Amino acid sequence: MPRRERRTQLLGSALEVFVAQGYHAAAMDDIAERAGVSKPVLYQHFPGKLDLYLALLDSSCDAIIDNCRQALLSTQDNKQRVAAAIDVFFEYVAAESGAFRLVFESDLTNEPAVREHVDRVTTECATLIAEVIRDDTALPDPASRLLAVSLVGMAQVSARFWLTEAGGIDRPDAAALVAGLAWRGIRGYPKADEA
């Protein structure tokens, strides 16, 4: 199998094991077995369990950030932008892979490298959103950033709550409820050319 395909296969197997068992309970033996390879093959691609976990975090974090970027670029209508950005988080936690557990529910968040990866989701998504807020409202950077972090936090926490405790609400309806709340708040800051 070509190296890139093998790496993808190993990451897929590792994701399944880490989601099911958590970082501390997962063993490289389990991952190698799940992938159908020997441990030496696994170690050829990833020198250790933390390296493998960080590679998974990279791809998971990149996916959320890229999806947030695409949501913001998908329209010039800010109400639709808010809805699309909120939905990014709901869609992510609803994915069958369970990858959100690595980012938002890791049992390894005290590890500085893991914390850095996890914080990158909030930081980079908030930066993207803050640019839109600043450009539209002419609010100063610190105010735009605070509002953006608040929107990201709202999206992330509500999506995780919906997944585990808001039974009976379909994903699109749940995302729309939260987007409605967010829009009612953020639209209170008028566009610079309307102020």
Side-chain angles (χ1 to χ4, degrees):
M1 181 179 288
R3 185 167 180 79
R4 178 173 284 182
E5 288 178 28
R6 175 68 74 198
R7 182 179 170 86
T8 300
Q9 175 202 19
L10 295 172
L11 287 170
S13 297
L15 177 61
E16 292 173 12
V17 172
F18 284 132
V19 166
Q21 299 178 19
Y23 179 83
H24 294 295
M28 293 295 269
D29 286 329
D30 298 333
I31 296 165
E33 182 179 322
R34 176 76 53 99
V37 300
S38 65
K39 260 177 59 175
V41 168
L42 181 57
Y43 282 112
Q44 286 173 357
H45 292 268
F46 302 99
K49 186 165 77 165
L50 182 58
D51 300 296
L52 179 53
Y53 194 81
L54 291 175
L56 281 170
L57 271 182
D58 270 339
S59 63
S60 291
C61 293
D62 288 346
I64 300 168
I65 294 163
D66 290 343
N67 290 341
C68 186
R69 181 180 293 108
Q70 292 308 311
L72 295 172
L73 294 173
S74 68
T75 181
Q76 293 298 308
D77 180 291
N78 285 334
K79 184 176 183 180
Q80 291 177 11
R81 276 181 173 153
V82 168
I86 297 287
D87 193 53
V88 164
F89 288 88
F90 278 82
E91 186 176 346
Y92 183 68
V93 302
E96 285 187 37
S97 71
F100 82 94
R101 295 188 193 295
L102 300 180
V103 179
F104 299 133
E105 296 178 359
S106 175
D107 59 347
L108 196 61
T109 54
N110 289 335
E111 169 66 39
V114 172
R115 182 82 254 150
E116 181 181 314
H117 280 69
V118 171
D119 289 345
R120 185 168 68 91
V121 171
T122 300
T123 301
E124 292 191 27
C125 288
T127 297
L128 294 167
I129 294 168
E131 289 172 7
V132 173
I133 293 171
R134 184 195 63 235
D135 291 348
D136 278 359
T137 65
L139 284 170
D141 285 340
S144 297
R145 186 148 178 75
L146 179 60
L147 290 172
V149 168
S150 299
L151 289 171
V152 170
M154 178 189 295
Q156 179 199 129
V157 172
S158 60
R160 289 173 50 217
F161 176 84
W162 163 78
L163 186 67
T164 59
E165 297 190 38
I169 303 175
D170 291 339
R171 184 185 66 78
D173 294 336
L177 278 169
V178 176
L181 175 63
W183 175 245
R184 283 177 185 87
I186 200 67
R187 77 174 180 197
Y189 298 91
K191 287 190 171 188
D193 57 3
E194 297 171 359

